[in-house]
Structures are given as C-alpha cells and as structure tokens.
Amino acid sequence: MNLKSKHNIYFIGIGGIGMSALARYFHANNKHVAGYDKTPTAITDALSALNIQIHFDDTVEQIDAKFLNPESTLVVYTPAIPKNHTELNFFKAHGFQVLKRSEVLGLITENTYCLAVAGTHGKTTTTSILGHLMYECGVELTAFLGGISENYNSNLILKGTEVSVVEADEFDRSFLTLSPDLACITSMDADHLDIYGEASELIHSFKDFSKRIKPKGKLFVKNGLPLKGITYGIEDHSDYSVQNIKIENGTYVFDVKTPKRVLENLEFNLPGRHNLSNALIALAMAVEYGCPHQQLAKALASYKGVKRRFTYQIKTEDLVFIDDYAHHPEEINAVHQAVREMYPKKRTLAIFQPHLYSRTRDFVDDFAKSLSQFDEIVLLDIYPAREAPIEGVTSKWLLGKIKNENKQLVSKANLLKTIQKSHAQIILTMGAGDIGEEVKHIKKELSLAS
C-alpha cells in the first residue's frame, strides 16, 4: 500500500499513546487527521490544540464528510477497540483500507532505516533515550515513543524521515509487522498471557521478531537471553558493558566498554540499574549506527526521562514523591531497587493499582512478593482496562498474599487521607491504569502539607 495516495487519516482510538504519536506524524506530514476516542484526556486535548478534530461518541454522523471517501482515506485502529465498535464496522463494511496501528508503523519503517526496541520492560525509556541521542547527533529521524518524553514534551521526536526509531510492541504480536535494520531485545519475561496463553509462546514470538531484521541488520540482546546477537550488560563480559559505576549527587557516572574502545566518565541522570541498562543499549545502537562518541556522551547527560517512568513529582530533603508506570512484578522490583539505591535509610510507602484481572491472576504471587519489599503498601482496586471481571480475582485477594503487616486496601476517595496518616519520607505511586490521574491531587495535597 502506498501511504502517499492517502490524504486523509482517520484514527479509532486516537488518544492512545502510540496512536497519538502516529496522528502527530501524519499531521506534521500535511495529511488531514481526525479521530474518535472514548474519553477526553490530556493527550486528546494536545491533539485538538493542533486543530485535529476529535469526537467522543461512537457514531458515524460525527465524522467529517472528507473522511468518508474510501479512495483517499486510510483508517487506523488500535487492538484495544472492541469488535462491536460502530465506526470500525462501518469502515470495514464500506471498502475502506483499515489497518492496525502496528501495520501502519510497519509501512512507515519499510522505507526508512529502522531502529526497533523490543522487550517486555524498558521499551519506552530505551526508545526515548535512543531517539534523543540520535536527535542530538543531528540524525534526520522520526522517533515514535510509547510515552511523553520530558526533553520534547511529546511522544514524537521529528527531525526528518530518513531514519525511524520505534517501539516494537509484543502485545498482540504487533512487532512482527516491522522490518528493522538494527533491533534490540531488552527482556522476555512472561506477560500478556491473556494473548499468548503460555510464556513459551511469548519467547517464540520474540524469536520470530529477531528473524524480521533486514539481511545486513544487527540484533542486540541483553546478556543471558536465549538468542544470538551483540550482547550488552552491566559489570559483565558482554560486547557492550557498563563498568566502574559511581553515584555522584544522584547521577550515575560510569565507563562503557565497547568492542573497540572504552568510553570513560559518562553521566546519566535516571535512577535504577534497569535505567542504566536501558541507557547502555540505546548508546550501543547509536554507536553501531555511527554517531560520534563525544556528541553521544553530551546527549546522554542531557536526557531527562519519560513522564510516569520514575518521575519525581516532589524532591526535597524531607519528602520525595515518585510516580511510575510499573505494572508487572519485575518492574516493581526495578523501582524498589532504584529507591533503595538512592534512599537506603528512608521509609517508603508504595501505592499500587493493579492493571488487568488476567495479569493480576497470572502473577499474583510475584506481585505479593515484589510489593512486600516496601515499608508500607496501599492497594487500589484493579483497573480493568479492556477486561471483564474474573471471579475471585480482586485486590483484596492480592492483599491477603502480601507478607507485610503494614498493608491496606483503600478506595480512591480515601487515598489522600491514608497518605496523610503515613510517616514515610518516600511516597511512590505505581500502575498502568488511571492512577496517573490521582498524581496531581496527591502532589497538591503533599505540597500544601509541607
């Protein structure tokens, strides 16, 4: 399919983080863009500010007439949209080209030099570091991010169309539409078992992804994963390895051993060994692409992070409030490691909103174990997202498995009161649901209290 022949792009689920990045991309390339979403959010507000028309009722009557011509309109949808969606079924029934977001991303990357970041954790941060490094090195690129970059205040980094940097998403196997030149796999922990059934199927899918790399391309893998490629790791014998780690005023200072030389005294400002690993693989891919070392060192030091990825909301001597997207036991472990490394002697309150009934069911014991590590734990009810309830799968069930007496299940209405009663110096909010909406209220309350 030739994207150049489509002048109008209509998005069903335009407010999604990946969908909105594509919408921005097409808008920047002078296409007419419009779309539907279920509810208004900060993301849809930002798109509306670009004069992109968005409506929130699932009805064909509200779609602008120019998007109702099958010859000139491409329809893009997200797999999160239900099968009985009126607009989606209208477009399918009337001969429109209707593609998943991942298929459109595949078409865009086919005709560019593509760097793809895959893995069950670390994709968004790694992609945004890689996009930032290459942008600062003057590469003409478009980077599609699964989060809002603090450096650009956007989920799209746009400096040209020769190179594309993309998040390769394993959900719904959508990364199998990509054809990367350079790709990495950060992790292959079990997740999305509602889609895959077995963890072995997920691993098989990553192996299939590794075969999608173009003939002269390269695959980078975290050391220890069961795939052949250029390895990377922390304080080990990988092809690319972080060595001599120090923490100076909350900043990592370290060396990187590459296959050809050692880059000394690099600086990186995000806490946590998992983020150091993300920085390393982004650096390795940029080095293999051909970015100059000195510019890369400067760019790495200026990287500010992604919203809701270990984002400091308040950072004072007496009180620290951090918000993070962690929604898998391994991600909670990574947040815990980062907090303990930065604040070894301070009391920590973790507020967690489980995401999906199926994920809670599949990993309940691992969730309990990872959450038990914090000094105090507050659970909110499960955020259902696309799922119907599963009998017996509740936050109360998870709470019962947490081996720590300082635990409670709280409604959103009582969350602020609960936080006020705590003597913790470090407060964490974690989860991929709508807990992010509570952050501004918590921040305001804590700021007033202090």
Side-chain angles (χ1 to χ4, degrees), residues 322-375:
I322 295 160
D323 177 43
D324 195 278
Y325 188 69
H327 56 286
H328 184 283
E330 286 304 321
E331 292 165 356
I332 295 170
N333 286 336
V335 170
H336 178 262
Q337 184 276 322
V339 168
R340 291 289 183 236
E341 187 174 49
M342 291 295 159
Y343 307 102
K345 297 196 169 94
K346 295 201 169 176
R347 188 172 177 83
T348 305
L349 163 65
I351 301 154
F352 178 58
Q353 181 190 45
H355 183 259
L356 298 180
Y357 296 104
S358 61
R359 187 182 279 126
T360 307
R361 176 198 61 201
D362 294 338
F363 302 109
V364 69
D365 293 324
D366 294 329
F367 274 123
K369 197 172 168 187
S370 62
L371 289 165
S372 297
Q373 300 173 96
F374 297 97
D375 300 304

Side-chain angles (χ1 to χ4, degrees), residues 152-264:
Y152 305 91
N153 198 30
S154 177
N155 50 357
L156 185 73
I157 305 174
L158 196 58
K159 198 177 192 161
T161 51
E162 278 183 29
V163 173
S164 52
V165 175
V166 300
E167 225 173 278
D169 192 358
E170 76 283 357
F171 173 75
D172 206 28
R173 296 180 174 82
S174 52
F175 59 179
L176 300 181
T177 61
L178 300 173
S179 320
D181 295 270
L182 301 179
C184 75
I185 297 174
T186 63
S187 49
M188 300 193 318
D189 292 311
D191 198 4
H192 304 303
L193 298 185
D194 53 326
I195 302 287
Y196 286 96
E198 299 287 331
S200 57
E201 277 300 304
L202 179 71
I203 289 167
H204 188 72
S205 188
F206 276 105
K207 287 180 176 170
D208 287 344
F209 170 70
S210 71
K211 293 170 190 162
R212 299 280 311 162
I213 295 168
K214 288 174 192 164
K216 289 184 181 171
K218 292 174 183 172
L219 176 68
F220 299 76
V221 292
K222 186 162 189 184
N223 199 2
L225 293 180
L227 285 168
K228 282 193 166 48
I230 298 166
T231 55
Y232 72 98
I234 293 181
E235 293 176 327
D236 61 12
H237 299 293
S238 299
D239 300 314
Y240 282 83
S241 169
V242 168
Q243 306 286 349
N244 306 323
I245 303 166
K246 300 185 283 290
I247 295 175
E248 295 175 6
N249 302 321
T251 295
Y252 282 121
V253 181
F254 55 96
D255 301 337
V256 169
K257 176 188 76 68
T258 79
K260 292 179 180 169
R261 57 178 292 186
V262 175
L263 311 178
E264 294 182 335

